[in-house]
Amino acid sequence: MKIKYILACAVAALSAISCNSLLDIPQHGVLNYDDYYQTDEEAETGVNAIYLQMRGLDYNCLMGKNMLTDDFWAGGGVRNDNAELEQLNEFTFGIDQSFLQGMFTGYYQLIYKCNVVLGHVGTDSDIKNRCRAEAKVFRAWAYFELISMWGNPPLVDHELTPSEYSRPNGTTEELWGLVEKDLNEAIESGLLPEKANADDQSVWRVTKQFAQAVLGKAYLWQGKYPEAAEVLDEVISSGLYKLYTGPYEDIIAFDNKMNCESLFESVRVDDANNPFDNFSFSKVMIHWRTDRMNVSADMATTGWGFLSPRKSLYEDFVAEEGEDGYRLNNTLKTYPQIVELGNSVKVGNSIINEGYFMWKWRVQKAEIPTYGMGAAGMAAIDNPRWMRYAEVLLLASEANLMAGNQGKADEYLNQVRERAQLAPKSGITLEDIQIEKRLELCGEGTRFQDMIRWGIAEERMKDQGKNYPMLDSNGSVSYVETGADPSSYGFKSKHNLLPYPGVEIRLNSNITQNPGWE
């Protein structure tokens, strides 16, 4: 959010300001902001706006965060199909990069809506207090994202007055302090819902266990390993979530929403009377490049082929599971494998691809509605998935390992490996967890922040931008040199913190830009 400008507009739009009492005429059909949020129903509308804002973050977060990893190429049909995705993937971006600005803005818009609820919803009913607890969970989640990628963003814990719009950078202590305070208060409220059992699909709101998982993640990022282990253990011991044991290829499929492994996902309703509620352009962006491909009858026929898997991801799978690995073959497909399934690059065409295709997030024809944007093949009805139980187990494994609880670390990692049909390990190391997390959660938006935290980003991504692959219809792959100066591409030390968007710097002189981006 443009902290100085957007909040000023928001306050101006929502506040009733009169310069002349003669012109102070009540408008019909307009709600008075100061008098709203007085009833339970009005409080619900405020928190529902937060849920909608969260769902709207899906596109920028999915595309942006995955591009900043060693899992994917930018993809597309030809070079410069989407230059901004290439900038992210090759680390050639500057402070005005639109995806990064969209992510930064989106997180602060979420925070603003949380602050509205916390500033206007009272404490005189359980429903209102539950709405307040939910707002605290979302605000903490947004700040976790901002801190883990930008470092010390401005702290905005209330609706700002005009004199407060130019916020300085927050300190590490106060930012993490707000995250912990919000989550602990929400958890201790006793008002966050909980599932009845692991198979309960009726709870769509943020739960106590999701709040605990975010808190455990925040502790882990700060190096508070015993605290992280304790709260993540509580999520596991609740028994309210479990690993999905159906076909692994369907683990995040559109028709497998709200399954036993989902800690939180944004609900998208398949409703012909409200077609824009089904809009999920991100799924079309990451589906295979269908204008240059023949696709089988069950696959969606519109896709742009961005975020194509790298060979290094496939090789890590093979090193851990072998070429016939169960999880590997339900996550990725090689080009020969998709040809066997009736899909191929059209003769005379080529696409930016290294010979591997994401199968876990394939877009099936049944996922595209036959009305609204879906009729044009431009939307899908999948739910954005924000966290699943496998991530909780792997976070808990790492927290317990670092806290000296080797037995629990082994146990939690091996639960994930057992589902992947792999032999258990004992005496696991941090490297074991790093590999397992890359394989299990690939494409789910966790790797960039992990790589930064583990200090492995520069070594793994220093050459991204040197070349790109072109896959021909016969399955051959050629590599095209970008011709760029090596000093201009690849992960550098400055990328350990993302730059504050240029518009923020220009509008707010109190923000100090991150090192290397001045």
Side-chain angles (χ1 to χ4, degrees):
M1 178 173 55
K2 303 173 183 65
I3 296 168
K4 184 174 180 182
Y5 176 72
I6 292 181
L7 284 180
C9 294
V11 172
L14 296 172
S15 300
I17 300 174
S18 173
C19 296
N20 188 325
S21 60
L22 295 176
L23 300 178
D24 191 9
I25 302 170
Q27 291 178 274
H28 295 291
V30 175
L31 297 173
N32 186 327
Y33 186 55
D34 292 329
D35 295 336
Y36 199 61
Y37 301 122
Q38 301 304 303
T39 68
D40 288 348
E41 182 180 9
E42 291 168 352
E44 292 273 17
T45 65
V47 81
N48 287 346
I50 298 174
Y51 280 90
L52 288 171
Q53 178 67 39
M54 179 79 165
R55 193 177 70 183
L57 297 177
D58 175 51
Y59 180 78
N60 280 327
C61 289
L62 176 70
M63 305 299 292
K65 290 170 70 173
N66 279 312
M67 279 290 85
L68 293 165
T69 74
D70 58 346
D71 283 347
F72 301 99
W73 298 91
V78 296
R79 183 72 173 172
N80 292 320
D81 253 4
N82 192 310
E84 292 184 331
L85 289 179
E86 291 171 357
Q87 290 169 6
L88 289 178
N89 194 234
E90 299 171 5
F91 295 93
T92 59
F93 54 84
I95 65 173
D96 290 307
Q97 219 283 337
S98 66
F99 271 96
L100 298 183
Q101 182 176 318
M103 289 165 62
F104 190 84
T105 299
Y107 293 134
Y108 272 107
Q109 287 172 336
L110 184 65
I111 289 166
Y112 173 73
K113 287 182 170 63
C114 294
N115 288 339
V116 167
V117 169
L118 293 170
H120 291 270
V121 172
T123 59
D124 55 331
S125 75
D126 281 350
I127 289 179
K128 290 179 183 177
N129 282 315
R130 190 257 298 155
C131 290
R132 292 177 59 84
E134 290 174 286
K136 290 177 182 179
V137 174
F138 282 112
R139 184 169 69 177
W141 178 87
Y143 267 116
F144 172 85
E145 294 288 293
L146 287 163
I147 297 166
S148 60
M149 290 187 281
W150 278 272
N152 292 92
L155 187 146
V156 183
D157 61 357
H158 61 281
E159 292 176 90
L160 302 180
T161 62
S163 64
E164 298 177 296
Y165 290 158
S166 296
R167 303 290 288 176
N169 303 73
T171 67
T172 299
E173 293 75 15
E174 66 184 0
L175 286 163
W176 281 123
L178 178 65
V179 170
E180 292 182 19
K181 180 175 181 290
D182 273 351
L183 290 169
N184 277 310
E185 288 180 354
I187 293 164
E188 292 165 7
S189 73
L191 294 170
L192 292 175
E194 298 182 72
K195 293 167 55 173
N197 53 62
D199 295 314
D200 180 6
Q201 294 182 306
S202 66
V203 180
W204 58 270
R205 312 191 80 97
V206 290
T207 63
K208 173 184 175 181
Q209 286 69 37
F210 176 69
Q212 289 175 313
V214 176
L215 179 60
K217 200 170 180 177
Y219 283 145
L220 184 59
W221 254 250
Q222 296 176 77
K224 296 182 177 181
Y225 302 122
E227 294 92 334
E230 180 179 3
V231 71
L232 291 166
D233 285 352
E234 287 183 28
V235 178
I236 295 167
S237 64
S238 75
L240 298 178
Y241 299 86
K242 62 184 179 181
L243 294 175
Y244 174 71
T245 56
Y248 190 85
E249 65 177 4
D250 294 334
I251 196 164
I252 57 172
F254 79 100
D255 56 357
N256 197 18
K257 304 171 186 178
M258 307 292 287
N259 66 55
C260 60
E261 191 164 339
S262 180
L263 252 78
F264 179 62
E265 56 190 70
S266 294
V267 176
R268 181 172 282 113
V269 179
D270 184 8
D271 179 8
N273 295 315
N274 189 16
F276 281 95
D277 193 57
N278 305 314
F279 191 83
S280 178
F281 187 60
S282 56
K283 294 299 292 287
V284 179
M285 287 286 283
I286 62 179
H287 184 41
W288 308 343
R289 186 68 188 217
T290 55
D291 65 331
R292 293 168 178 252
M293 294 181 66
N294 305 299
V295 295
S296 58
D298 58 334
M299 302 300 288
T301 55
T302 299
W304 300 109
F306 296 109
L307 278 67
S308 62
R310 287 180 177 262
K311 185 179 181 181
S312 67
L313 175 61
Y314 178 79
E315 288 176 336
D316 267 6
F317 267 107
V318 171
E320 195 67 21
E321 304 183 8
E323 290 185 356
D324 296 326
Y326 169 73
R327 181 173 54 185
L328 162 60
N329 283 279
N330 284 278
T331 302
L332 300 174
K333 298 290 187 189
T334 64
Y335 185 63
Q337 286 175 323
I338 70 159
V339 169
E340 274 189 42
L341 294 170
N343 309 278
S344 63
V345 176
K346 294 177 181 178
V347 175
N349 286 266
S350 59
I351 57 175
I352 298 179
N353 189 292
E354 207 169 5
Y356 306 96
F357 294 78
M358 281 295 287
W359 187 253
K360 183 170 71 173
W361 66 23
R362 69 198 181 282
V363 182
Q364 301 171 67
K365 185 173 291 184
E367 185 174 354
I368 307 297
T370 58
Y371 50 83
M373 294 298 293
M378 299 296 287
I381 55 176
D382 198 14
N383 285 352
R385 319 294 172 90
W386 297 107
M387 180 180 281
R388 57 187 179 90
Y389 185 59
E391 182 182 354
V392 174
L393 288 170
L394 294 172
L395 290 169
S397 180
E398 182 178 352
N400 278 281
L401 176 68
M402 303 305 289
N405 306 320
Q406 185 72 57
K408 279 190 174 180
D410 290 355
E411 175 190 350
Y412 295 149
L413 183 85
N414 284 327
Q415 287 185 38
V416 178
R417 288 179 61 82
E418 180 181 4
R419 196 260 301 277
Q421 301 184 12
L422 298 172
K425 289 184 174 182
S426 61
I428 66 163
T429 65
L430 180 59
E431 184 180 4
D432 290 323
I433 295 170
Q434 291 173 354
I435 292 171
E436 197 65 37
K437 211 170 183 189
R438 184 185 195 191
L439 306 185
E440 177 64 32
L441 301 176
C442 72
E444 296 183 40
T446 64
R447 184 156 175 80
F448 175 63
Q449 288 138 296
D450 279 334
M451 295 179 80
I452 297 298
R453 178 170 61 94
W454 291 328
I456 64 173
E458 187 164 3
E459 178 59 30
R460 296 297 299 260
M461 299 191 289
K462 62 185 178 182
D463 293 327
Q464 289 185 192
K466 179 180 180 180
N467 56 26
Y468 60 93
M470 295 299 298
L471 173 67
D472 193 78
S473 60
N474 63 9
S476 64
V477 177
S478 58
Y479 293 86
V480 182
E481 299 291 317
T482 63
D485 187 310
S487 65
S488 68
Y489 62 74
F491 190 100
K492 308 288 192 296
S493 61
K494 71 176 184 178
H495 295 110
N496 282 294
L497 291 175
L498 296 176
Y500 294 109
V503 67
E504 306 291 346
I505 298 297
R506 291 187 287 272
L507 289 171
N508 181 0
S509 60
N510 289 328
I511 296 181
T512 300
Q513 182 59 279
N514 280 324
W517 298 102
E518 298 86 350

